[in-house]
Each structure stands twice: as C-alpha cells, then as structure tokens.
Amino acid sequence: MDWVSDSDGGDEVDWESDGEGEEGQAPPIRDVPSSSEAGSSKKDSEGGASKSRSNSNLTAHFVAMGFSEKMVAKAIKGNGEGDSEAILELLLTYGAIDKSPSQEEGSPAGCSSPSDDDNWDEDDNSDLDDFEDKDFVEELAEKDKKLLTLVEMGFTTKEAASAIERCGQDAPVSELADSIYAAQTAETDSIYAASWSAQDEPFCRFTSFSRDNKRRKFMEDSNNKRRRYIDQKNRNKNVSHNDDDMIALPNPMIGFGLPTNSMMHVVNRRLPEAAIGPPYFYYENVALAPKGVWATISRFLYDIEPEFVDSKYFCAAARKRGYIHNLPIENRFPLLPMPPKTIHEAFPLTKKWWPSWDHRTQFNCLQTCIASAKLTERIRRALIESGDLPSPRVQQYVLNECRKWNLVWVGLNKVAPLEPDEIEYLLGFPRNHTRGISRTERYRSLGNSFQVDTVAYHLSVLKDMFPNGLTVLSLFSGIGGAEVALHRLGVHMKTVVSVEISEINRNVLRSWWEQTNQTGKLIEFVDVQQVNSDRLEQLISTFGGFDLVIGGSPCNNLAGSNRHSRDGLEGEQSALFYHYFRILDLVKCIMGKN
DNA sequence: CAGACTATGAAGAGCATC
DNA sequence: GATGCTCTTCATAGTCTG
C-alpha cells in the first residue's frame, strides 16, 4: 500500500484502491464555479434573461440554510439579489425578531416549516400581499423545481446545480441525487458554510451539529454580533476604534505574549466550550484583512479570539498575521537559536553600503513579488545625479521604494531585492528549501508561507503533550511551514495528511520530507474539496484521529496588496476558508462520534 | 509556453494635532 | 472626537522574451 502520492503521477492521490472510481482521473485542480452557476453566492449581476433563475437559486440557497421562502423573498425584495450578504443579514435580523420557539426548533430538515411561515405572516406580511408560495413555485422553471427538490433533500444548492449541470435538466431527481453522492468533491460555498451542513449531515445528524443547530448558531451569531473583544481592549488600551463588526488589532501586535516577555504578559483566556479539542487546531491569515473579516472567521471558528502577532518580534521582517487556535498558551518556548531581529544582524554585509539616512532596522512584510530591475536602476540614477548627499526629496523617494519593496543596499548607490534564500532565512526555513523551482515561484511560495519561528512558538506546547508524536491534518500546506515548524521543535509527525493545490508546493514539501528522513507518513491531497466526509472517516479510522488540524487559507482576496480582487472572505480564493471550517468541523464531528 | 518583468492604488491602521 | 497625514500591505494582469 502506497499512501504517498506518486510524484510522477503528479496530482493524483494514490489512495488505497477502494473502487471509488477515481483512479486515473485527472486531478480536480481547483474548480471554481462560474458566477452564473446556480447556487453561487458570489455577488454577480446577471442579465435579465437569467434573472428569474438566479433569483430562484438565491431563494433556494437561503431556504437551504433554513429560512422560510417568504422571509427570503422579502429579504431579496428589500436588498435586490445582488448582495447576498446583505440578504443574509436581513434574514438574520428577521430571525432575531421572530423568536417563536417553534421556529427555533425548526423542522427536522431545517427547512422552512408551516410554523415558520405562519409566524412570519403574523409579524409582517404587508409587503407580501401579492406573493404566495404556490405562485412562486409555479413560476420556477423545471430545472429550478428539481433544484429545490434536491435542496429539500438536504443537498446544497451548489451541489444540486452542479448535478443538474452534469446530468442535464431532463435527468430524474433520483439520478441527480445519485450523481451528487457519486461526486467526491465538495462544491465551494463562497459565502456561508451553513449550506455545507447539509452535505455533512450523514455524519453530523448523529451529533449535535445538525443543520438546525447550524441555523440556530447563525441566529445566535446575529444576536451576538455586537459583542466586542473587551478582554483584548483591556489588555491593550492603545487600540484603535472598532466598529461593531470589527475586531481591534492589538498594539503592539504581540499576541498572547512573546518569548522575551511572556512572564510579563499574563493572559487569561477561556476557550468557548465548542472550541475545546480534540483535535487541536490552528488557523492563520493576514491580520490586515478588510473590515469584518476576522469577526466572521472568529464566529465560524467557535468564537475564539484571534491572536494577532507581528513576526517582527521573531525575525527581521514584519509579518502581521492573525491566528485562531485552541492550543494552550502557557509554557510556550521559542525555537533556538533565536533568529536575528535586525537587518544588519541578519545580513551584515549590507551594512557597508547602508546610507546613514536609511534608518530601517527591519523589513516590511515579505510578499510574493519583488521590485523590478527598472526601479532599482531608477534609484541608482537618482542617487548618482544627486551626489554625495541626496536631497531630502530624493531620500524620501528612495526610502519609500526601499520600504515598499524591501530593498537592501548591495553597493554604492545600489539597492536590490532580497534573494529567495535570504527570504527563506528570514522566514525560518532551511536554506534551499525552495531551491529548484523557478525564481518567480520561489518568491510566490515563500511570500505565501508561515513565518516558522512565530508559528513554532505557538505550537511548542504540543511537544510535551505528544511525546510520541502526533497526527496532523495540514490544510493549504504550501511549502510546509507547519511541518517545518514541528520538525524544528522536535515534534515527531507520525502522519501528515497534507492538502495543497499547487504541484510546485507539494514537490517542495515532499522533497523536504524525504530529505529530512521523516519516519512518519506523508499523505497528499490536491484540493480541499477532495476532503469529504468519507475520506476523513477513512483517515480517522486508520490513524485514530487527528491531533492537530493546521493551515492558513488563501489571503489573495484579503491582502492589501491586491488591487484587483480584494473581495474579502467571499473572494474566489479566500472563500476557501469555509473549507477549513467545514473540514475542521467534520473532523470534530467524526472524532466526537468515535 | 514558461518564466521574467512591469505597471497598477485603495483600504485602513497609526499617529499627531486641534 | 474629528481631521489630516504618513505608512503598510501573504497581489494581479498584461506584456515581453528566450
């Protein structure tokens, strides 16, 4: 039995042959549905011809969450169908207003129930006088009726729509249902993971995580939305003003304490009941995400307060990141030796050429791209033309560019971007960790990775807790920042199930795994959408559960550097966060069941 | 065609000042 | 608290090149 993916075969997961019919199948490289696909919750603006369809799909989407059709119709009417998030907010508001116990209990499937509608009618039906469910359903196209039927059967809108896409509109519902069951990849729900509860139901209905509970959680979330993170504010008086839906970033951004002052920085944190493991989990993303993103992430991840840390306290480069985890925070210890925290200590050779007017001691965030040669040439010319002491204007120009692009002084009037191996060093990876792939890819992969020392400090508490090693589910593994951190801590990894979309990154991780003579098993998956309940149950039954679920989901749509598609958590890549939650929640369900 | 190269701001935190 | 300024930001799209 070969648990490890075949490097030649590339993307396939050489999972034990189990007759699932996936062998030899092309890997499902991230398959993001188009905005016109039914059930898509992305903001889109379709033409008039498809308006009815998208309207009904949107309706079905929210009905699948457990709201009544009339409520949904009213919410859509009030908001238009373009902004599904606003519609959800309105629905949650309706839900908060309507506190009928019967509705709280809901129907078994979590779908709309007569009581829902009755209560709703009593509350407010002024805008719905001309609206009846019967009429509404009759207006649906045949395809939409099937879609609704499938949704009522417990599938997500997206699954249903995809099945119709695959099998055709004429396919009977039974065939469509079979098709969904057969599909091994989960579809992305880009806004709220509640719709996943339907697909998870085969497991979760045996637990407390029923769809109805999900819906109740949404209601509770809505009511709790105004809650602020008072503790964090109290700890750090100098925090910025925060809105209702915002989590304040601490200043200084030192999380629950640093290696150097952990004794001085005593933090009492009490984890919510639902957050307590097993498994332990650790989630990471950019701290400076658009407003409200971290509040949403925190709500999904069991209302755990994020730990915001700037890696400039661990190395010579800033890296402001938020971490949500359920790890203990006492008795942490850092990796040794502690890396240098200034540019000159990290790269002494640059000191010779460093002008006195460049007062930088640390780098800004190491990103995925570097400055162009034209820019460094423009800087060189500007400096040459201005003689020994550049004018304040030139200095300002040069400093701005140096800060923006993390340039270092490598000669007289000569600046240059950091080399990939220098970035590896700053991020705590072994030298040549990414060597062998293209230079551009090295920058990209490194720019997207953990700062190892920072993460290792947080994970260090696992060492004493798991003296015999642990089993890790590593989501969005990238070049293996989590694995490197554990390895450098001396934590044995009995098994790592790694999920990473990029073949280049998988190769980097696999190569490192082999080179470091790991005695554990590395099992690779390509796409988080492959990781469904069947797979997880197999893995958990084989390895006895996961001790740690770790990963940082894509930040593309959250990062400030993104000029084009900083769409927040709904963005094409960043919405994969919901897969992190989905998978983590599934693991908790399955392990809780066992 | 892969890889290298280049141009492309807005959002929002932090700070000083009033 | 309001205002204005400075500074920072795990990037994307298009083009060029060998």
Side-chain angles (χ1 to χ4, degrees):
Chain A
M1 171 172 27
D2 183 9
W3 294 92
V4 182
S5 72
D6 186 340
S7 60
D8 189 33
D11 300 326
E12 287 113 327
V13 175
D14 193 5
W15 189 249
E16 185 182 16
S17 299
D18 55 7
E20 289 181 0
E22 282 194 5
E23 292 171 15
Q25 193 176 333
I29 297 300
R30 188 174 302 161
D31 180 20
V32 180
S34 67
S35 61
S36 60
E37 216 173 320
S40 169
S41 46
K42 291 187 192 306
K43 299 174 185 176
D44 54 23
S45 53
E46 294 185 344
S50 59
K51 190 173 182 179
S52 169
R53 179 170 62 92
S54 67
N55 187 310
S56 58
N57 290 344
L58 203 58
T59 302
H61 174 75
F62 288 113
V63 166
M65 288 184 178
F67 299 105
S68 77
E69 285 178 10
K70 286 190 175 181
M71 289 172 70
V72 173
K74 180 174 170 62
I76 292 176
K77 192 172 181 177
N79 275 287
E81 60 186 271
D83 191 345
S84 49
E85 187 164 10
I87 293 169
L88 182 67
E89 289 294 324
L90 196 54
L91 287 168
L92 291 169
T93 306
Y94 294 159
I97 293 169
D98 180 11
K99 293 172 182 171
S100 159
S102 62
Q103 182 174 340
E104 277 296 296
E105 289 307 314
S107 59
C111 296
S112 60
S113 66
S115 62
D116 285 337
D117 293 344
D118 291 346
N119 290 331
W120 177 246
D121 285 344
E122 285 170 17
D123 283 340
D124 182 4
N125 60 4
S126 58
D127 290 339
L128 297 171
D129 290 337
D130 57 348
F131 186 89
E132 293 293 331
D133 278 352
K134 186 165 172 284
D135 296 334
F136 176 72
V137 172
E138 282 175 359
E139 284 174 16
L140 296 178
E142 185 66 23
K143 177 179 174 181
D144 295 314
K145 286 182 183 174
K146 285 179 179 170
L147 192 113
L148 265 182
T149 306
L150 289 165
V151 166
E152 283 168 4
M153 289 169 69
F155 298 113
T156 66
T157 316
K158 192 156 290 184
E159 285 173 325
S162 297
I164 293 172
E165 199 81 19
R166 283 194 301 271
C167 304
Q169 294 188 39
D170 297 328
V173 171
S174 58
E175 184 183 328
L176 294 170
D178 286 345
S179 167
I180 298 174
Y181 277 123
Q184 291 298 310
T185 57
E187 292 288 336
T188 303
D189 181 337
S190 61
I191 290 193
Y192 289 99
S195 54
W196 275 312
S197 60
Q199 99 184 35
D200 297 343
E201 217 160 28
F203 283 118
C204 294
R205 67 181 166 208
F206 297 111
T207 74
S208 60
F209 289 86
S210 68
R211 171 144 49 127
D212 218 43
N213 282 346
K214 290 286 187 194
R215 180 191 165 201
R216 191 172 300 124
K217 177 165 167 40
F218 271 106
M219 296 299 185
E220 291 166 2
D221 289 343
S222 174
N223 294 331
N224 291 336
K225 244 173 66 176
R226 305 185 74 81
R227 182 174 59 82
R228 297 182 184 189
Y229 287 86
I230 302 299
D231 291 347
Q232 186 159 349
K233 286 183 71 175
N234 289 341
R235 277 205 312 280
N236 304 286
K237 290 184 178 177
N238 197 15
V239 295
S240 66
H241 170 268
N242 60 341
D243 294 323
D244 290 345
D245 219 10
M246 270 187 68
I247 295 177
L249 296 174
N251 185 12
M253 197 179 281
I254 58 174
F256 299 144
L258 300 174
T260 49
N261 71 346
S262 56
M263 296 303 289
M264 298 164 59
H265 191 81
V266 179
V267 175
N268 292 320
R269 89 159 179 164
R270 195 169 57 85
L271 288 172
E273 190 70 25
I276 297 171
Y280 287 109
F281 69 90
Y282 189 88
Y283 174 80
E284 180 258 15
N285 215 318
V286 291
L288 299 171
K291 287 182 176 177
V293 165
W294 274 105
T296 303
I297 293 174
S298 173
R299 280 205 300 274
F300 272 91
L301 296 180
Y302 314 102
D303 279 327
I304 297 178
E305 175 188 1
E307 176 172 16
F308 292 106
V309 184
D310 190 337
S311 293
K312 73 179 183 180
Y313 300 108
F314 288 83
C315 68
R319 203 166 188 82
K320 298 178 181 66
R321 297 293 180 266
Y323 306 88
I324 288 185
H325 60 85
N326 62 351
L327 293 164
I329 58 175
E330 297 83 21
N331 301 319
R332 290 169 164 178
F333 61 88
L335 287 177
L336 296 176
M338 304 260 280
K341 294 181 187 59
T342 67
I343 296 173
H344 290 334
E345 285 171 341
F347 305 113
L349 294 179
T350 64
K351 199 169 183 177
K352 178 180 177 184
W353 306 108
W354 211 272
S356 60
W357 43 269
D358 183 349
H359 298 115
R360 287 178 299 156
T361 58
Q362 290 190 302
F363 295 111
N364 282 328
C365 184
L366 305 170
Q367 306 204 52
T368 58
C369 297
I370 61 168
S372 65
K374 283 194 173 181
L375 174 64
T376 55
E377 176 61 17
R378 280 198 296 270
I379 290 172
R380 195 181 69 87
R381 286 184 176 279
L383 290 170
I384 289 175
E385 288 171 6
S386 53
D388 287 344
L389 187 63
S391 67
R393 191 182 61 81
V394 173
Q395 287 184 19
Q396 193 61 44
Y397 162 70
V398 173
L399 278 175
N400 283 340
E401 298 298 332
C402 285
R403 281 194 287 250
K404 185 192 297 181
W405 295 104
N406 279 325
L407 301 173
V408 290
W409 296 92
V410 295
L412 182 62
N413 298 327
K414 186 179 179 185
V415 291
L418 289 164
E419 291 295 314
D421 61 329
E422 293 171 330
I423 296 180
E424 284 171 350
Y425 175 55
L426 289 167
L427 291 177
F429 287 93
R431 194 178 185 85
N432 296 329
H433 184 72
T434 58
R435 193 168 182 176
I437 63 178
S438 82
R439 187 179 165 86
T440 306
E441 289 296 340
R442 289 183 79 181
Y443 283 118
R444 179 186 304 276
S445 296
L446 286 163
N448 282 317
S449 73
F450 288 165
Q451 204 288 324
V452 170
D453 298 271
T454 310
V455 172
Y457 181 60
H458 298 158
L459 299 180
S460 60
V461 296
L462 294 169
K463 186 168 185 179
D464 287 341
M465 299 167 68
F466 296 93
N468 298 321
L470 40 71
T471 303
V472 183
L473 177 55
S474 173
L475 304 175
F476 312 104
S477 304
I479 56 174
E483 290 81 357
V484 171
L486 289 168
H487 177 67
R488 289 191 57 194
L489 284 166
V491 177
H492 175 56
M493 289 165 277
K494 293 188 289 189
T495 303
V496 172
V497 176
S498 165
V499 187
E500 170 55 39
I501 194 84
S502 159
E503 182 179 4
I504 291 169
N505 287 344
R506 288 198 305 277
N507 289 341
V508 169
L509 173 56
R510 194 186 313 122
S511 170
W512 171 84
W513 187 267
E514 291 162 357
Q515 306 233 344
T516 50
N517 298 317
Q518 299 288 329
T519 55
K521 286 174 181 166
L522 175 64
I523 299 168
E524 294 172 280
F525 287 92
V526 173
D527 197 329
V528 287
Q529 298 184 50
Q530 288 180 308
V531 184
N532 55 22
S533 50
D534 287 341
R535 284 247 163 82
L536 283 172
E537 200 164 56
Q538 271 184 292
L539 291 164
I540 288 169
S541 69
T542 304
F543 301 113
F546 291 107
D547 302 308
L548 176 66
V549 179
I550 188 167
S553 61
C555 67
N556 307 37
N557 311 113
L558 309 179
S561 305
N562 188 342
R563 290 132 152 95
H564 299 275
S565 54
R566 198 184 185 192
D567 303 328
L569 214 49
E570 306 167 36
E572 188 173 326
Q573 285 84 31
S574 295
L576 292 171
F577 157 74
Y578 295 110
H579 276 287
Y580 180 93
F581 163 74
R582 174 184 67 83
I583 292 167
L584 173 62
D585 208 38
L586 264 176
V587 170
K588 286 170 79 81
C589 283
I590 297 169
M591 288 177 64
K593 191 176 67 174
N594 295 339

